DNA sequence: TATTGTTATACTCTATAACTATA
DNA sequence: TATAGTTATAGAGTATAACAATA
């Protein structure tokens, strides 16, 4: 039995709603995880890789999370042997580095992410994809 | 003290990441709530308004949530006197309707949402806004 | 047998407040 | 005094499995 779709009311014209739909669609395509890690966790690996020695607080700030939230996340990544904490010169801080295993996992993840990116952009021409990134940049610079 | 921004690595070129940033920026502007309800909850009011008598299961399906998830959400909306459950002709089902208070709250919410929409689109021309909605539609039809 | 709403339960992600060790 | 990391705790939001009522 085919069910008629629900009427959408005012929703289809709202940017916030359409951004959420698109983000959820992208998240689903990510298969919820790559190498057993969520998009957010992979994002942290990318940031640590690009900023070796970054502190937990600076990393939390970069992704707009409380520093207490970062503790458990780094515990997890460290528990999997992907990230290493090293006490900083300022001995209140932990600097973060990818381990060798972290680098290897990230390299594999980036290849999976490239495939994912091709899938979600598969209905866009290269010019449309660039245009979409540009317009998104105007909303969240 | 000014801190240099973190290097972003491969993230800025990933649609999934940029969609998430834009969606989070829009969510923050929503001030987390309008009339004390989250964007998702307001969305449900809009859907019920556009589909009076819709069942809980069909509503859950429309927003891609489990029907067990919908129970608590409808409990909340009903507890605030915004939504009414009525037993359907198929007596396994609950049909959902907005109450008078629900209609009034939704009308106020829609005005707040229109202001919100203007703010998040304030850096886009009308043509750019249309183009963004169009491109988002290609990602999540 | 299948579906709807419901309950019990658990998991993920997040924040707040208070603590400690350092600065 | 102020900051970095940590802990304890709590609150959203979500899902899975099992159940009763109904089809």
């Amino acid at each position: 039995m085919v069910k008629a779709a629900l009427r959408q009311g005012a929703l289809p014209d709202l940017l916030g709603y359409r951004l959420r739909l698109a983000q959820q669609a992208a998240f689903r395509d990510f298969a919820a995880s790559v190498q057993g890690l969520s998009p957010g966790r992979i994002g942290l690996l990318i940031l640590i890789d690009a900023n070796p020695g970054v502190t937990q607080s600076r990393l939390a700030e970069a992704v707009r999370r409380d520093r207490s939230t970062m503790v458990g996340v780094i515990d997890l990544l460290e528990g999997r042997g992907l990230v290493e904490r090293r006490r900083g010169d300022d001995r209140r801080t932990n600097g973060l580095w990818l381990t060798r295993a972290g680098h290897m996992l990230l390299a594999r993840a980036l290849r999976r992410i490239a495939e994912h990116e091709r899938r979600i952009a598969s209905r866009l021409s290269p010019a449309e994809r660039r245009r979409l990134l540009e317009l998104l940049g105007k909303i969240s610079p």
Side-chain angles (χ1 to χ4, degrees), chain A residues 4-136:
Chain A
L6 259 57
R7 279 180 247 278
Q8 298 290 301
L11 291 175
D13 278 327
L14 299 175
L15 274 171
Y17 177 72
R18 299 292 292 280
L19 286 168
R20 187 159 60 117
L21 282 191
Q23 195 266 320
Q24 287 177 352
F27 187 94
R28 275 193 305 275
D29 179 89
F30 206 74
S33 64
V34 165
Q35 311 289 332
L37 295 176
S38 68
R41 303 292 155 78
I42 300 280
L44 292 179
L45 294 184
I46 293 175
L47 288 175
I48 295 169
D49 182 50
N51 303 273
V54 65
T55 66
Q56 295 183 195
S57 286
R58 293 255 293 137
L59 188 57
E61 196 181 320
V63 296
R64 291 175 175 264
R65 297 291 172 263
D66 191 87
R67 68 188 198 278
S68 70
T69 298
M70 201 51 59
V71 176
V73 180
I74 301 299
D75 283 351
L76 175 88
L77 296 176
E78 196 176 41
R80 296 207 191 172
L82 305 174
V83 165
E84 187 190 353
R85 286 171 162 112
R86 291 186 215 156
R87 179 168 243 200
D89 293 335
D90 175 341
R91 284 161 43 247
R92 292 171 302 186
T93 65
N94 290 333
L96 302 174
W97 277 265
L98 293 191
T99 62
R100 177 168 294 273
H103 278 112
M104 284 168 40
L105 182 143
L106 180 55
R108 276 197 303 270
L110 286 174
R111 287 193 289 272
R112 299 281 305 274
I113 287 170
E115 297 164 15
H116 157 74
E117 186 73 10
R118 276 193 293 277
R119 281 194 303 275
I120 64 176
S122 62
R123 292 176 179 168
L124 302 176
S125 71
E128 286 173 330
R129 179 175 175 281
R130 281 194 304 275
R131 183 74 174 135
L132 177 54
L133 286 173
E134 181 191 338
L135 291 170
L136 290 173

